[in-house]
Amino acid sequence: MYAISVFNNKGGVGKSTLTLFMADFLATLSVRGRALRVLVMDMDAQGSSAAALLGTDGLERARGSGLGVGRLARDLDLRTAVDTGEFLFKRPRGVPKGRAEPLPEIGVMVSDKASSFAFEVNPLHRLTILRDGLKPELAKRFDVAILDLPGNIDERNLLAVNALIMSDAVVAPVEPSRISINALPDTLEMVRYVRARGAREAPVFLGLVLNRVDKRSQQFQRNLPWIRQMCEQLGVPLFDAVLPNAMALSTATDDRLACDAMRERYGLYYPHVKAVVWEVFRRWRHRQGGEGGEAIGEP
Ligand SMILES: Nc1ncnc2c1ncn2[C@@H]1O[C@H](COP(=O)(O)OP(=O)(O)O)[C@@H](O)[C@H]1O
Ligand SMILES: [Mg+2]
């Protein structure tokens, strides 16, 4: 199972949005004739991506039964008998209307403030429990896990650090503005810290995805050369594909009940979504030395 974190310490840059784009697109693909099994782990107690996938009611029910990832991490660390399956929810397939491509099935794990906090405040909890205790279990059921991280985390957030340590790669959405780019060193520092604590090279930093781009705006045209220069200085790759600023893309984080089909959700902008997700996997395969990953084909 390939685990990828969507992370940027800045809030509101599109982490949950990009998480949902990746999940929606990847779940339409197949590997050796079998649909790719995709899991979204919403690590943010605000629950944007889980609410979009399960509906706000579904999210409240899941939280109400105490089945958040903080509780799961705690149970695993205390070695109480844990049935991982209990903590897994799913977004059912959409109902296809005419020729519209339905929203595919996606596995979901939710966060709740209380259990995340209970895990985080106890310094005795291991930083590697999600990687060592949970990931092998998830690998039996899923091909890809996408982790939607909260913003503004630091070394004290043991659950978020656990999530990053569990990840093979990190991708960071960023807005094409100076304040967003200037906030990057903090995010990169966090990734370096996580590598040291996880005692391995992972997660690999795949790069920055520019989000909310308006190519025609003067501000974007002025900022782009500066952004490229900053990326070079910081040693971070910049994705070729970008996500436009568009109303249709802001619907990603809406409650799923509002629509059942991809085209209802992303409209004409769906090709941009696909281009970004393909680039994530191209960059991952490249980092693996050309091959690696699995041969993924469209269904
Ligand atoms: N490409 C986009 N076009 C238009 N609105 C967007 C786009 N990306 C994100 N948004 C909106 O910006 C807000 C913040 O995005 P979100 O994904 O929740 O960020 P984060 O998870 O980093 O806090 C949301 O209201 C979302 O709908
Ligand atoms: Mg978010």
Side-chain angles (χ1 to χ4, degrees):
M1 186 187 72
Y2 173 46
I4 180 163
S5 272
V6 182
F7 174 54
N8 185 330
N9 240 343
K10 199 154 169 44
V13 290
K15 294 183 287 295
S16 302
T17 301
L18 180 58
T19 297
L20 293 161
F21 289 164
M22 298 212 306
D24 264 339
F25 179 52
L26 292 173
T28 65
L29 302 179
S30 59
V31 185
R32 293 188 213 99
R34 179 169 58 62
L36 208 64
R37 299 161 305 172
V38 176
L39 170 70
V40 167
M41 292 175 64
D42 190 347
M43 302 304 303
D44 188 345
Q46 274 179 11
S48 310
S49 48
L53 292 164
L54 300 174
T56 38
D57 292 349
L59 173 59
E60 281 323 307
R61 274 197 300 278
R63 281 174 167 166
S65 24
L67 297 171
V69 66
R71 155 93 182 283
L72 175 58
R74 196 168 147 264
D75 287 358
L76 286 166
D77 209 12
L78 299 174
R79 292 196 188 80
T80 30
V82 185
D83 174 7
T84 308
E86 270 197 317
F87 292 82
L88 292 171
F89 299 87
K90 72 177 178 216
R91 178 184 74 178
R93 282 177 69 80
V95 181
K97 292 188 190 112
R99 288 171 46 198
E101 199 179 349
L103 295 175
E105 183 179 297
I106 291 172
V108 186
M109 289 178 72
V110 307
S111 285
D112 64 291
K113 228 175 173 169
S115 82
S116 295
F117 186 69
F119 187 86
E120 274 170 7
V121 293
N122 186 342
L124 296 179
H125 281 308
R126 273 174 287 169
L127 293 174
T128 51
I129 194 63
L130 292 185
R131 181 186 73 192
D132 301 340
L134 179 63
K135 200 175 178 183
E137 282 306 305
L138 293 179
K140 295 175 191 162
R141 303 171 196 245
F142 297 100
D143 302 300
V144 181
I146 305 164
L147 290 79
D148 182 12
L149 271 281
N152 210 19
I153 65 167
D154 62 33
E155 294 77 356
R156 289 166 299 183
N157 296 113
L158 305 189
L159 193 59
V161 171
N162 247 286
L164 287 166
I165 287 181
M166 175 185 150
S167 303
D168 300 293
V170 169
V171 61
V174 66
E175 292 193 0
S177 67
R178 292 195 173 229
I179 50 170
S180 207
I181 301 288
N182 280 332
L184 272 177
D186 190 34
T187 300
L188 300 176
E189 189 50 48
M190 200 62 214
V191 174
R192 278 193 286 271
Y193 170 79
V194 161
R195 277 190 204 133
R197 297 313 300 261
R200 51 179 203 153
E201 290 297 299
V204 164
F205 194 88
L206 295 180
L208 303 177
V209 178
L210 294 180
N211 184 28
R212 308 200 74 155
V213 167
D214 179 358
K215 281 191 168 162
R216 287 168 309 182
S217 84
Q218 277 201 0
Q219 190 203 14
F220 179 72
Q221 289 171 11
R222 258 203 317 270
N223 278 349
L224 189 60
W226 177 81
I227 292 172
R228 289 193 195 287
Q229 193 189 332
M230 286 304 287
C231 285
E232 223 156 86
Q233 271 174 29
L234 293 167
V236 293
L238 184 64
F239 274 54
D240 297 318
V242 301
L243 292 166
N245 188 32
M247 274 303 288
L249 297 184
S250 74
T251 62
T253 43
D254 272 358
D255 195 308
R256 77 161 285 272
L257 303 176
C259 59
D260 280 312
M262 295 286 228
R263 271 176 234 298
E264 279 171 54
R265 180 155 271 190
Y266 304 128
L268 293 174
Y269 292 91
Y270 192 41
H272 290 277
V273 171
K274 292 185 188 182
V276 165
V277 184
W278 273 129
E279 193 169 342
V280 170
F281 281 83
R282 237 185 19 246
R283 285 178 183 270
W284 172 243
R285 277 207 298 271
H286 180 70
R287 291 299 296 253
Q288 296 282 85
E291 294 301 315
E294 303 217 49
I296 296 174
E298 300 230 24

